[in-house]
Amino acid sequence: MTSEVQVKGQKLTGGAKFAVEMGPLAVFMISYFFGGRLVSLAGSLTGHEWCLREGSEMYLAVAAFMPSFALAFAYSVWKEKRIAPMLLVSGVIIGVLGTLTLVLHNKTFFYMKPTIVYALFAALLYAGLRTERNFLRTLFDGALHMPDDAWRILTIRYSLFFAALAVANEIAWRWLTAGCPPEPALPVSASGGWAWLLTECGIEQVAKCAGEANWVKIKVFGFTAVSLVFTAVQAPFIAKHMPEEHGPEDKGTGEDGSKDDKPGA
């Protein structure tokens, strides 16, 4: 019995699941909003004078986010002995778009990352319904037991919700970053190969784009809060269609077909 459990793995506890899902986002936020201080501190500890190039906060955050997500993904696979579908889809998209962002030095790829993730989730849920496969039920991994009709309604709701988030992200990043100044060509500096990230301290730089910072806040806090609220709103519907704790076998039925409501011994 013990060996069987070890082979199948264990489900993540609440704290571990929270760390896997939110840990990489925390790394992203810290790197974005405190990256300048962290770079200067790292330079001081190594005997260098390092300053973060203005406007490269996103690149630093993406560079820190990708390995942290990889670690969270690896821990999830190691602990559960399986690959969580949502983590896999997110991981592939993050890997591709994050790499393009850094290699091509173009933030647009990462701005569109939530759009692609949400749109793909919406499309997969809808396609599953069309092919009589309910991916949402698979995602819950047996945690909920509801009739097929209830699963269908819940899947349609989540599909529309993800589609709405995809549209919202496209509107948000395009509107908020519309007034951002174009990025200048990478300067030749003492930072050498790190010129995409570091610059000489004290030189005049391009002003930071406030709209980008606002988009980051919406992406991390706004979409997360909306998702939690949407899930909470579905709770009454789920509770309504969940089987009762005491099934029919727990209640006696008389010869006339009436139920015996007496509590069991």
Side-chain angles (χ1 to χ4, degrees), residues 3-251:
S3 60
E4 182 180 352
V5 172
Q6 290 176 345
V7 171
K8 290 184 177 180
Q10 302 174 352
K11 290 186 178 181
L12 296 177
T13 62
K17 187 175 179 62
F18 180 82
V20 166
E21 294 178 352
M22 302 304 296
L25 285 177
V27 171
F28 181 87
M29 290 290 289
I30 292 172
S31 300
Y32 186 88
F33 288 104
F34 302 99
R37 299 179 184 178
L38 294 175
V39 167
S40 297
L41 177 61
S44 299
L45 294 176
T46 56
H48 298 84
E49 187 179 5
W50 288 345
C51 286
L52 184 66
R53 188 170 67 85
E54 200 74 45
S56 64
E57 296 83 7
M58 178 64 70
Y59 299 119
L60 176 63
V62 172
F65 176 69
M66 291 175 64
S68 64
F69 184 91
L71 287 175
F73 180 82
Y75 175 79
S76 174
V77 174
W78 171 74
K79 190 71 175 178
E80 296 190 309
K81 300 297 187 294
R82 70 183 185 93
I83 298 177
M86 288 189 71
L87 276 181
L88 177 61
V89 173
S90 298
V92 171
I93 296 175
I94 288 170
V96 173
L97 296 183
T99 300
L100 290 175
T101 298
L102 298 177
V103 172
L104 300 180
H105 205 68
N106 190 333
K107 301 176 185 178
T108 301
F109 292 107
F110 212 75
Y111 290 154
M112 294 184 65
K113 192 269 294 182
T115 301
I116 296 175
V117 170
Y118 292 138
L120 186 57
F121 285 162
L124 287 174
L125 291 178
Y126 179 75
L129 289 179
R130 299 290 294 180
T131 57
E132 298 183 356
R133 298 178 63 185
N134 196 298
F135 294 125
L136 189 64
R137 175 161 31 193
T138 303
L139 183 65
F140 276 95
D141 196 21
L144 299 178
H145 303 278
M146 299 190 299
D148 290 341
D149 289 343
W151 275 114
R152 180 178 178 82
I153 294 173
L154 191 63
T155 299
I156 292 174
R157 290 182 180 181
Y158 267 97
S159 181
L160 293 174
F161 175 67
F162 284 132
L165 287 183
V167 173
N169 181 69
E170 277 299 288
I171 295 174
W173 81 261
R174 291 181 185 277
W175 176 53
L176 291 172
T177 63
C180 294
E183 291 191 51
L186 292 179
V188 178
S189 68
S191 303
W194 291 93
W196 62 276
L197 185 65
L198 305 178
T199 186
E200 298 177 14
C201 298
I203 66 173
E204 185 177 352
Q205 300 188 57
V206 177
K208 184 185 298 185
C209 178
E212 181 183 275
N214 291 331
W215 173 78
V216 170
K217 294 174 184 177
I218 291 174
K219 172 187 177 295
V220 176
F221 297 117
F223 288 163
T224 300
V226 169
S227 298
L228 292 175
V229 170
F230 178 81
T231 300
V233 170
Q234 308 312 309
F237 176 83
I238 294 174
K240 177 181 177 181
H241 292 89
M242 288 285 284
E244 296 182 1
E245 185 177 355
H246 300 288
E249 65 275 10
D250 295 331
K251 297 180 180 181

